[in-house]
Amino acid sequence: MVGVYGPRKSESKFGFSETGRLTCDVRLTCFASHGMGKQQQQSLERSMSESMQTALMASIQLDKIPKSCVDVFAMVLEVGGSDLAVAISAASVALADAGIELYDLVPACQVAKLGDSLLLDPTVTEESQQGGRALLAFMPACNEVTQLNLKGCWSDPDIREALELSMGACLQLRTAMREALLANISS
């Protein structure tokens, strides 16, 4: 679930800014965290929030909303795998639906490396067995990568293949995101 609030007046403690400001907050429900300790869950939430903010920041035309703040809140109800990629994509759609001017939508995909295989948008079980993972957030119309996160041991050919797989999936996902927005406008 993703909610967008704003643009609204920025708090005075942040001072005057010629451009707007984006804040992202990702939370996991207590039943979605699968027995994670409170500190571990808070650390994961903070990391996901920072990654989401980095991925979305480049897509928002912040210069058109000076002295303003846009808040994005994401609640992960169930951990199913590739949660950050799903949250970034959903947040991008929510920003567009809220009327925030964007350069482009930001679809995101995750690839897991299991042995010699690459899996697109892995499940929780597949994530637990992965030897590496790649998260890509991409603005297809601008041909700009807004977030790339690699973890694990990757060879150069594997990285190239993972990026090609992710970029192709992001192109398909952007089409579906755009169609969903257009369907929402027409109804």
Side-chain angles (χ1 to χ4, degrees), residues 93 96 114 180:
V93 170
L114 286 172

Side-chain angles (χ1 to χ4, degrees), residues 128-173:
S128 67
Q129 301 168 357
Q130 69 188 2
R133 77 172 179 124
L135 172 79
L136 176 79
F138 178 61
M139 291 192 298
C142 302
N143 200 28
E144 184 177 329
V145 173
T146 62
Q147 173 95 19
L148 176 61
N149 187 341
L150 294 169
K151 288 190 177 177
C153 208
W154 291 86
S155 65
D156 287 344
D158 284 345
I159 291 173
R160 185 172 292 111
E161 187 179 349
L163 291 177
E164 288 173 3
L165 182 63
S166 295
M167 290 175 106
C170 284
L171 287 170
Q172 292 177 359
L173 184 55

Side-chain angles (χ1 to χ4, degrees), residues 2 26 48 52 56 72 74 76 82-92:
V2 178
V26 179
M48 289 175 76
M52 179 185 282
L56 295 174
V72 176
V76 178
S82 303
D83 301 312
L84 180 56
V86 171
I88 291 169
S89 300
S92 182

Side-chain angles (χ1 to χ4, degrees), residues 110-115 122 125-134:
Q110 183 173 321
V111 172
K113 181 180 173 188
L114 286 172
T125 307
E126 293 166 340
E127 281 183 348
S128 67
Q129 301 168 357
Q130 69 188 2
R133 77 172 179 124

Side-chain angles (χ1 to χ4, degrees), residues 93-94 96-98 177-187:
V93 170
D97 190 49
M177 293 163 66
R178 190 172 184 280
E179 287 173 0
L181 286 167
L182 291 173
N184 189 39
I185 291 171
S186 63
S187 59

Side-chain angles (χ1 to χ4, degrees), residues 2 7 15-16 24 27 39-40 43 47-48 53 62 80 122-123 125 133 142 144 151 187:
V2 178
F16 177 78
C24 295
R27 298 282 179 213
Q39 287 181 336
Q40 187 180 11
S43 176
S47 171
M48 289 175 76
Q53 185 167 343
L62 292 170
T123 64
T125 307
R133 77 172 179 124
C142 302
E144 184 177 329
K151 288 190 177 177
S187 59

Side-chain angles (χ1 to χ4, degrees), residues 60-80:
I60 301 173
Q61 296 183 19
L62 292 170
D63 57 323
K64 296 199 176 180
I65 51 171
K67 300 190 276 184
S68 299
C69 180
V70 175
D71 299 316
V72 176
F73 297 98
M75 177 67 71
V76 178
L77 299 175
E78 183 178 355
V79 174

